[in-house]
Amino acid sequence: MTMTVLGPLPARSDVLDVVRDWRIDSLIEVLGQEKEVVDAALARLDYNRDLRPQLFVPPSLGEVPLAFTGPHSTYVCVNQKGGAGKTTTSVELAAAWIAMGYTVRIIDADTQDASLSTEWILPNYEGIAEHERYSLTDVLFGRQPLDEATYETSIRGLYIVPSGDHLGAVEYDPAGARDGSLRKAIRQSKADVDITIIDAPPALGKLSVNGLIAADQVIVPLKVGALDKSALRKLAETIRAVQEDGNPELRVAAGVMTGYDRSNYAGIVAATLRRDFPEAIVASARRNVRVAAAAEDHLPVRVTDPKGTTTSDYDQLARLLLPVKGATR
Ligand SMILES: Nc1ncnc2c1ncn2[C@@H]1O[C@H](COP(=O)(O)OP(=O)(O)OP(=O)(O)O)[C@@H](O)[C@H]1O
Ligand SMILES: [Mg+2]
């Protein structure tokens, strides 16, 4: 198998502005009120300034990039809504961090037949007999340690834990994923990886909650155009519940508006994310038709469309979330 090596991008002209003062905050007060009230608040915004794609850093966050608190750090991309951009965000952040010198493992925790490890980033099973190919399912039923289910991919520095055929059983079988067993499995891993990213399924069941218990940081991708305010509230409540009971260190690092377009509606989505996750960076990943095609090539968009907005938007977000590996302030 040939290996793709990821490196820094050439300087770009279309990088997004990083802002700390975002007048979209004025929308938060009127969310949920009568349409006329919301429209009036929208009319007070400067369309070109306030609704253009940008990266918002909450003033409370202090310095960016945030520090790498490793030796090892775990992120979970979570949203119970299907098609929110969890998998795309997992892969593109991973690719960007690899280009910054990190080694990244993605855990495919999606129960759907068509998931990251079956459709997009494939494990390299070369030389491994079929009955010795392990998956997250084996890990969560206690049959294998995580490192036995961690495989190389065609990208140097990117490893994948496939979901396995019967991962769905974890949700209803009491023997699967008991008491935060994913957290234990990650902690016991001796693999030489700096960052683990968990790509959660579109449900707030045991797998997503296990991901939240295992993680240091949460990333919430949200498809612009498919905002479900009550689902987002429920997700925020679930995250707070895990913080209160089991993982007090967990923090929400970023909300990512995927498929971002400049519209009043995108403004409402941004304000809703700000309201529910006030501590998080809010990022936009602009709408790009070439995202879907990357899966067919079994490569990150960073490789198939290096000059596109998706590559540049995730690259910028990755560099706000972490410094280049080994860099000191
Ligand atoms: N920035 C973008 N522009 C255009 N399309 C995008 C963008 N990001 C993601 N998509 C597309 O949206 C769809 C859903 O994305 P993705 O699979 O990452 O979401 P998901 O949350 O992982 O979905 P699921 O809940 O099914 O696991 C895919 O077809 C993907 O190609
Ligand atoms: Mg997915």
Side-chain angles (χ1 to χ4, degrees), residues 72 74-77 105-110 135-142 144-147 149-150 161-162 167 170 176-189 196-201 206-215:
H72 176 267
T74 303
Y75 292 77
V76 62
C77 282
R105 161 169 55 198
I106 305 181
I107 297 180
D108 179 2
D110 193 349
S135 67
L136 181 63
T137 313
D138 296 306
V139 176
L140 293 181
F141 279 102
Q144 293 295 333
L146 187 61
D147 293 348
T150 300
V161 178
L167 185 60
V170 167
R178 268 192 302 227
D179 300 334
S181 62
L182 185 55
R183 182 184 178 91
K184 234 175 277 166
I186 292 172
R187 300 232 150 165
Q188 286 166 356
S189 163
T196 295
I197 302 176
I198 302 160
D199 177 22
K206 243 204 250 179
L207 282 161
S208 285
V209 171
N210 247 264
L212 289 169
I213 294 172

Side-chain angles (χ1 to χ4, degrees), residues 83 85-88 110 112 115-116 199-202:
K86 297 178 284 295
T87 301
T88 307
D110 193 349
Q112 299 171 93
S115 71
L116 168 65
D199 177 22

Side-chain angles (χ1 to χ4, degrees), residues 203-247:
L204 267 187
K206 243 204 250 179
L207 282 161
S208 285
V209 171
N210 247 264
L212 289 169
I213 294 172
D216 305 300
Q217 318 247 10
V218 186
I219 311 270
V220 179
L222 183 75
K223 180 63 71 62
V224 172
L227 176 64
D228 179 339
K229 289 181 197 141
S230 62
L232 201 62
R233 264 268 150 89
K234 178 98 196 302
L235 176 58
E237 281 165 19
T238 306
I239 293 170
R240 304 301 168 222
V242 171
Q243 283 170 328
E244 276 164 29
D245 180 32
N247 190 3

Side-chain angles (χ1 to χ4, degrees), residues 99-168:
M100 289 163 60
Y102 294 98
T103 305
V104 183
R105 161 169 55 198
I106 305 181
I107 297 180
D108 179 2
D110 193 349
T111 51
Q112 299 171 93
D113 287 341
S115 71
L116 168 65
S117 57
T118 60
E119 302 288 311
W120 191 355
I121 302 296
L122 308 179
N124 180 359
Y125 291 129
E126 241 169 64
I128 302 167
E130 206 151 319
H131 68 278
E132 286 178 343
R133 297 174 187 176
Y134 303 117
S135 67
L136 181 63
T137 313
D138 296 306
V139 176
L140 293 181
F141 279 102
R143 296 191 289 259
Q144 293 295 333
L146 187 61
D147 293 348
E148 289 296 319
T150 300
Y151 294 92
E152 282 188 340
T153 67
S154 66
I155 305 292
R156 181 164 296 157
L158 178 62
Y159 296 85
I160 187 134
V161 178
S163 49
D165 291 340
H166 306 293
L167 185 60

